[in-house]
Amino acid sequence: MSAEPATGTSTVAEPALVRVGSWLVGPLLGAAVLFVVKLVSDWVAGLSWAPFQGVFVLVADIPEPWGLTASLAVGAVIGLGFAGLWSQERISAEVAQDRLVLARDRAERTFRRGEVGAVFVEGKELVLLDESGAELVRQRTGLDRRELAAALRRHGFPWHGGDPHRARYRRWEPDEPELGLRINALLAERARALRRRDRKEAARLRAELAERGVVVRDERKQQRWRWAELG
């Protein structure tokens, strides 16, 4: 990305090839999966022990050439739907000297320079902390890390290579005496959501914990926590 003056703006987004390619790859993959299902449907329909056998029997009973055509069409539509969901998760970042704007789908969130204490990428998530160490946002991103870091540094944002408060986290154990009953209950509920791989519920509980002054990170399938205040 070419250098820009700090008084201008820098926009960081996923490469056009990735954005356009997902709309092509999704339907192709969907069609390929249903094509394979159609090919093996006769064989699977004859197995007494096969799961979802009713589906394979239904597919096998569709006369040709309509069966193959329908399978490809349905697979392409399913793949297109997944591509649409993927597009809604993409974010772009517009960085200026006084603000950072994160856009996802039709929603935008603006963070003023003075309220941002640290910015870093953890795994596949972009994290913004305020001056107290509390999380402002934690958002999955496919943005190029080096390009994002360069844009943020160019405009004076405090970019970090990792969580600057990592050493302050402690492994959560049930009934942690320092946390109290309600926070321990929320962490226990979130642990169950993580075991179910329910990302939406885990994110909701993370936000509720943040409202109570507790920042949570996941490390090797274990929750680690710290108080938001730096004092």
Side-chain angles (χ1 to χ4, degrees):
M1 187 172 183
S2 59
E4 296 181 26
T7 54
T9 60
S10 303
T11 300
V12 184
E14 289 188 7
L17 183 62
V18 174
R19 298 196 304 271
V20 175
S22 66
W23 291 103
L24 299 174
V25 172
L28 288 174
L29 284 177
V33 170
L34 267 293
F35 175 71
V36 173
V37 170
K38 177 59 180 173
L39 287 181
V40 302
S41 59
D42 285 326
W43 174 66
V44 176
L47 301 175
S48 60
W49 51 267
F52 308 109
Q53 195 173 37
V55 175
F56 288 97
V57 171
L58 179 63
V59 173
D61 286 345
I62 301 175
E64 297 299 346
W66 306 113
L68 180 58
T69 302
S71 297
L72 293 175
V74 171
V77 170
I78 293 174
L80 193 63
F82 277 106
L85 292 174
W86 186 9
S87 71
Q88 292 177 6
E89 291 298 314
R90 292 194 186 98
I91 69 170
S92 62
E94 182 182 284
V95 192
Q97 190 174 24
D98 62 338
R99 68 187 183 280
L100 167 62
V101 181
L102 299 179
R104 185 181 72 170
D105 198 15
R106 296 181 179 86
E108 288 187 353
R109 293 188 65 181
T110 299
F111 303 90
R112 296 295 172 184
R113 170 63 189 87
E115 66 180 322
V116 178
V119 187
F120 58 95
V121 172
E122 186 172 79
K124 296 182 179 180
E125 296 178 322
L126 173 64
V127 183
L128 273 66
L129 305 180
D130 66 15
E131 293 290 349
S132 75
E135 283 188 0
L136 293 170
V137 69
R138 178 180 284 268
Q139 173 66 57
R140 288 179 67 86
T141 177
L143 300 178
D144 183 270
R145 185 178 303 200
R146 288 178 296 181
E147 187 177 0
L148 180 62
L152 290 166
R153 288 187 179 122
R154 186 180 306 130
H155 295 282
F157 277 81
W159 170 264
H160 293 262
D163 190 340
H165 307 298
R166 186 179 185 120
R168 298 180 55 232
Y169 286 89
R170 288 177 273 174
R171 178 175 173 175
W172 176 71
E173 299 289 350
D175 302 320
E176 170 66 47
E178 187 176 339
L179 293 174
L181 290 176
R182 180 54 183 161
I183 292 177
N184 274 309
L186 289 171
L187 285 164
E189 188 177 350
R190 188 171 183 275
R192 289 190 291 271
L194 291 173
R195 286 195 294 271
R196 298 193 307 268
R197 298 184 180 181
D198 188 343
R199 289 192 339 196
K200 186 175 181 180
E201 179 65 8
R204 184 191 69 78
L205 291 165
R206 182 198 293 276
E208 187 170 346
L209 286 160
E211 291 174 0
R212 297 171 182 270
V214 176
V215 183
V216 183
R217 60 176 290 146
D218 302 318
E219 190 173 303
R220 297 179 182 176
K221 299 182 180 181
Q222 293 286 336
Q223 294 185 101
R224 301 182 70 83
W225 68 276
R226 66 173 173 84
W227 295 112
E229 296 81 4
L230 298 180

